[in-house]
Amino acid sequence: IALSLLVFMATACSAGSILSPSSTILYQITGTAKHVSITYQSSTGGTSQTGSALPFSYAYGSAKKGDFLYISAQIDTSPDAGNITVTILKNGTTLFSGTANGFPNIATANGSLP
């Protein structure tokens, strides 16, 4: 009986039918702008703010279906005519992205994890 249960659990886990899978999420900001002000939804559920030169990345970590993901960046150096792209990636694949060009424009990417 124990062996049958072990075989059943291994089969079910490998098929993903019992455990709800989580995904690795990464926020990225790239572009030619010199500096940006950043606001993002952190993995702890709060909102974080920071400033950074580019490129910028934040490892959100594991997320579950339905989790809300958000990042925005504002070009904050006048008269910077550079561009930015904000991207939310799931296991290396782009889920959401946005772009902006020139001071003081803002790029935003957000959505719920499918």
Side-chain angles (χ1 to χ4, degrees):
I1 294 174
L3 182 56
S4 297
L5 182 59
L6 183 59
V7 170
F8 171 75
M9 288 175 56
T11 303
C13 290
S14 66
S17 60
I18 289 180
L19 301 175
S20 62
S22 62
S23 301
T24 301
I25 302 299
L26 180 68
Y27 295 158
Q28 288 184 332
I29 305 172
T30 57
T32 61
K34 293 173 182 36
H35 194 269
V36 293
S37 294
I38 304 163
T39 302
Y40 59 92
Q41 180 76 29
S42 70
S43 58
T44 60
T47 302
S48 294
Q49 294 183 313
T50 191
S52 180
L54 299 181
F56 170 86
S57 64
Y58 170 75
Y60 181 97
S62 293
K64 299 179 299 305
K65 182 177 178 176
D67 283 356
F68 181 71
L69 307 170
Y70 174 87
I71 185 168
S72 71
Q74 180 176 20
I75 300 171
D76 63 0
T77 307
S78 179
D80 193 339
N83 62 67
I84 54 174
T85 299
V86 296
T87 309
I88 300 173
L89 300 118
K90 171 187 171 187
N91 300 327
T93 301
T94 299
L95 287 178
F96 311 104
S97 66
T99 60
N101 295 299
F103 171 83
N105 292 308
I106 301 171
T108 301
N110 63 18
S112 294
L113 186 61

